[in-house]
């Protein structure tokens, strides 16, 4: 594909007001001379980093932003190069992207879909962002992915775990490196059955938005297939900070396992409340009570402190992995910021590099060239081991980690212990699996 210069960038026009409660339909237009939205014409290219800098997932978002900034430095030939040295694709040379210096702008999603769309829209319209990366909520990811599809820019999702992102809400311009709820269930269920037995009764508390719903559905399906019974499923508002009123009924429910389909500050608070009620000191049905956190992060574990000891969950990546890509990223991130990176940081860093690499291999910033370069792309050296970006749904397939809260941590960052590296074959599913059906990937939109 050609990379012609243009006189005007694509212009975004909308009746929506930033931060408004109701998002009105968005209309994107571009001049007939434009090859695609926001085609870079000077010596630089602008990326948009849209992360939660406030709200319940702010810790994750701030760590993502550190990793995104590190990725830009590496792309521009600054620092130690990080994973540019271990990435199996050798298209990136540390001289920007296609010879253009990489610049970036940021936005605050606030973990709210409308705010995330508004900030992404502003970066595309006002700042000329040609790619949007980030987010720590699947509701945000689905909203921004839809906007990027309309705008004609690429969306490289950050932390989004709902099945919907690459299921019913998948888009041709969107790509997800992070694993999903189905994969968590497939990896966790055998470990849970081995640890707690096959005759268990589970009570679910679930964040009331699309991530929580699909997480609950996936864990229920995978555990019931092994013999567990689901006693109750209760939805909790994302804005909740005190879960005491939701924990109390668990004690008299007949359940002997509490599954917390919560993330970020929600998980820290709900787990803390469960410990305060003494759940892990109790027995039910002649069994020691257990708590499961299906989706973990290092930042959540640090926030929950000693409460996470022995609690099982799953992760996309962990800084203790010993593959060359993980070690390179951990070293680079640690030397710059004085701490290990979270798995949300790792996935955003990897997504920025994967976008830049796709542009180099395609020889263009045109979204349709990027889509073609990423579909079916197999790679290694970014952490997680061998990985496939499946063409059918733009979901990455790789090994999944099962972890538990470390019983005997040796330092402030030694909070989680890797219990099992679940092989990719165990978490792979057909593109038309019922949990992912109903959507249409559609066609790439270059925006012009």
């Amino acid at each position: 594909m050609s990379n012609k210069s243009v006189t005007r960038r694509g212009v975004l026009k909308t009746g929506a007001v930033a931060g408004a409660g109701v998002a009105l339909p968005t209309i994107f237009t571009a001049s007939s001379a434009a090859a695609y939205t926001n085609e870079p014409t000077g010596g630089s290219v602008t990326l948009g980093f849209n992360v939660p800098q406030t709200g319940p997932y702010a810790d994750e978002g701030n760590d993502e932003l550190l990793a995104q900034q590190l990725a830009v430095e590496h792309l521009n030939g600054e620092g130690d190069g990080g994973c540019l040295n271990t990435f199996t694709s050798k298209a990136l040379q540390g001289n920007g992207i296609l010879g253009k210096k990489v610049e970036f702008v940021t936005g605050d999603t606030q973990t709210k879909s409308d705010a995330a769309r508004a900030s992404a829209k502003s970066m595309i319209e006002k700042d000329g962002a040609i790619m949007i990366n980030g987010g720590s909520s699947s509701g945000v990811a689905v909203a921004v992915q839809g906007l990027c599809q309309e705008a004609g820019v690429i969306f490289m999702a950050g932390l989004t775990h709902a099945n919907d992102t690459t299921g019913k809400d998948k888009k041709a311009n969107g790509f997800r490196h992070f694993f999903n709820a189905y994969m968590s269930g497939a990896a966790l269920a055998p470990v849970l059955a081995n640890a707690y037995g096959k005759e268990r009764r589970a009570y679910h508390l679930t964040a009331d938005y699309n991530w929580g719903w699909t997480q609950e559905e996936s864990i229920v399906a995978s555990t019931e297939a092994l013999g567990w019974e689901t006693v109750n499923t209760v939805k909790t508002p994302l804005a909740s900070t005190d879960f005491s009123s939701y924990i109390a009924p668990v004690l008299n429910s007949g359940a002997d396992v509490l599954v917390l389909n919560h993330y970020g500050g929600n998980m820290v608070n709900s787990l803390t409340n469960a410990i305060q009620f003494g759940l892990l000191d109790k027995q039910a049905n002649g069994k020691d009570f257990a708590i499961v956190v299906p989706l973990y992060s290092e930042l959540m574990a640090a926030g929950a402190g000693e409460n996470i000891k022995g609690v099982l969950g799953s992760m996309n990546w962990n800084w203790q992995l010993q593959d060359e890509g993980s070690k390179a990223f951990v070293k680079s991130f640690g030397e710059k910021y004085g701490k290990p990176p979270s798995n949300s940081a790792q996935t955003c860093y990897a997504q920025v590099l994967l976008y830049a690499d796709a542009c180099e291999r395609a020889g263009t910033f045109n979204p349709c060239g990027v889509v073609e370069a990423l579909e079916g792309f197999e790679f290694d050296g970014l952490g997680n081991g061998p990985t496939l970006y499946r063409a059918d749904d733009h979901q990455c397939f790789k090994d999944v980690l099962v972890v538990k809260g470390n019983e005997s941590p040796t330092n402030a960052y030694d909070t989680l212990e890797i219990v099992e590296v679940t092989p990719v074959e165990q978490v792979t599913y057909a593109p038309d699996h019922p949990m992912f059906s109903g959507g249409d990937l559609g066609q790439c939109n270059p925006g012009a």
Side-chain angles (χ1 to χ4, degrees), residues 391-429:
D392 303 83
D393 48 15
H394 297 182
Q395 171 67 54
C396 269
F397 286 85
K398 54 193 183 298
D399 297 344
V400 169
L401 305 182
V402 176
V403 299
K404 70 175 181 179
N406 199 333
E407 301 277 8
S408 304
T410 57
N411 58 63
Y413 303 107
D414 186 25
T415 52
L416 296 171
E417 173 188 349
I418 299 174
V419 174
E420 182 174 293
V421 179
T422 306
V424 63
E425 294 80 12
Q426 186 175 319
V427 300
T428 299
Y429 52 88

Side-chain angles (χ1 to χ4, degrees), residues 161 163 180-190 192-193 197-198 200-207 211-235 255 257-261 292-295 433 435:
H161 190 240
N163 294 336
N180 58 46
Y182 173 91
M183 294 173 175
S184 284
L188 260 178
L192 295 176
K198 295 185 178 181
R200 282 285 184 161
R201 307 187 74 210
Y203 191 112
H204 289 249
L205 292 182
T206 301
W211 168 68
W213 307 331
T214 64
Q215 176 68 89
E216 176 190 288
E217 178 188 24
S218 299
I219 298 298
V220 166
S222 60
T223 54
E224 287 186 351
L226 292 173
W228 285 27
E229 178 185 346
T230 304
V231 173
N232 201 1
T233 58
V234 177
K235 306 299 187 288
V257 177
L258 173 61
V259 181
L260 295 175
N261 298 302
V292 178
V293 176
L295 179 60
H433 186 283
M435 289 187 188

Side-chain angles (χ1 to χ4, degrees), residues 52-124:
Q53 298 178 54
T54 57
Y57 295 172
D59 286 348
E60 307 289 339
N62 290 327
D63 222 43
E64 289 177 340
L65 190 54
L66 295 179
Q68 291 161 331
Q69 293 170 341
L70 186 64
V72 169
E73 289 183 11
H74 292 168
L75 290 173
N76 286 333
E78 303 165 14
D80 63 7
C83 288
L84 265 65
N85 303 319
T86 58
F87 189 17
T88 50
S89 174
K90 301 303 179 185
L92 297 169
Q93 302 300 316
N95 62 343
I97 307 176
L98 294 174
K100 297 182 184 293
K101 182 179 180 180
V102 182
E103 298 179 347
F104 66 91
V105 291
T106 67
D108 180 9
T109 70
Q110 304 173 42
T111 319
K112 297 176 181 177
S113 297
D114 287 348
R117 280 181 65 99
S119 57
K121 174 173 67 68
S122 177
M123 288 187 280
I124 295 168

Side-chain angles (χ1 to χ4, degrees), residues 314-371:
S314 67
M315 290 184 77
N316 184 69
W317 177 86
N318 183 277
W319 68 270
Q320 299 171 89
L321 288 170
Q322 292 301 301
D323 62 277
E324 293 304 311
S326 293
K327 289 194 293 184
F329 177 55
V330 170
K331 177 178 180 292
S332 188
F333 190 98
E335 288 179 350
K336 184 170 180 63
Y337 301 118
K339 63 177 183 177
S342 65
N343 72 157
S344 53
Q346 186 263 349
T347 205
C348 281
Y349 176 87
Q351 285 281 69
V352 174
L353 263 57
L354 285 164
Y355 169 79
D357 175 77
C359 292
E360 291 284 356
R361 290 185 293 110
T364 181
F365 291 101
N366 188 310
C368 294
V370 174
V371 168

